[in-house]
Amino acid sequence: MSASRTAPAPLRVVHAIVFLGFASASVAATHQELLQLFRALAQPFNWGTPPQPIACAAGLASALLGLGLIARVVMGKAVPLWLSAALLLSFGGSLFVLGVEPRARTVPGANVKCLEQAKVLHAQLNAPLQQTGRVPAPDAPAMGLSGESPFYARPFDPLAWSARRVKSAEVLPEGAQPGWLLVQVPEDGASFVITAVGIDDDGRPAVLRQEGKPIEYRGAYNPDTAQ
């Protein structure tokens, strides 16, 4: 039986408005999760906390059910009870968004974490450089990078921080991924340059820059600091 089979027309309109309100509230509450889901599926790489599955399902369901409700009202048909119940269930599912604690969901926020790791690696390389006069290998056992990377490969495959020795820290190497730290060391091994590979707005890896120039963390051997 329809929820409004015997109800007068004004009451059916009120019913439709109320349940459209539930649908709109659900979509509004979950739109950030849906946007995160879209980025994860459409772009090669993405950043930030993955979307909440139940909230995404509730948002999508609310949008589709809301369209179905509008279609029935426009055609002058009664609204089935199952449609009203499904809209209420979707609204309830959208409340799961309240438990989401999004982190690094903006491009600048994710890239800042990448720069922080570049600073960590700089300290790890510079200390032994000042003691021995040579830059240690970036992938040496003592050069471990800690902390969770905010970057993911499509759709939600987490990427780890990775230090890579390269010929030029200004050029994005082939196969580069967000979270790579590029280390350029000259032949004498007495200095180094670090740049960070972050992500751009289109989900592509990019050497992080400021005013068009790569952000560099440099170190050079100073005999006066050797112990």
Side-chain angles (χ1 to χ4, degrees), residues 180-205:
W180 281 20
L181 303 178
L182 310 181
V183 183
Q184 178 183 342
V185 181
E187 293 183 1
D188 62 9
S191 64
F192 65 88
V193 178
I194 299 174
T195 59
V197 179
I199 202 165
D200 65 15
D201 293 328
D202 297 321
R204 296 173 300 190

Side-chain angles (χ1 to χ4, degrees), residues 111-157:
N111 287 337
V112 162
K113 291 185 174 295
C114 198
L115 294 175
E116 290 173 352
Q117 287 296 317
K119 293 179 182 178
V120 171
L121 182 61
H122 177 274
Q124 292 177 337
L125 294 180
N126 194 56
L129 169 62
Q130 302 308 324
Q131 294 176 353
T132 66
R134 293 192 63 83
V135 179
D139 55 355
M143 298 297 107
L145 295 171
S146 61
E148 183 179 354
S149 167
F151 304 115
Y152 297 82
R154 184 167 45 198
F156 306 115
D157 185 17

Side-chain angles (χ1 to χ4, degrees), residues 62-78:
S62 293
L64 294 175
L65 292 169
L67 291 175
L69 177 60
I70 293 173
R72 294 192 71 87
V73 171
V74 169
M75 292 185 294
K77 295 183 178 181

Side-chain angles (χ1 to χ4, degrees), residues 151-176:
F151 304 115
Y152 297 82
R154 184 167 45 198
F156 306 115
D157 185 17
L159 300 176
W161 301 114
S162 178
R164 303 294 178 110
R165 194 158 180 167
V166 295
K167 294 182 178 180
S168 174
E170 297 183 3
V171 179
L172 194 68
E174 184 178 356

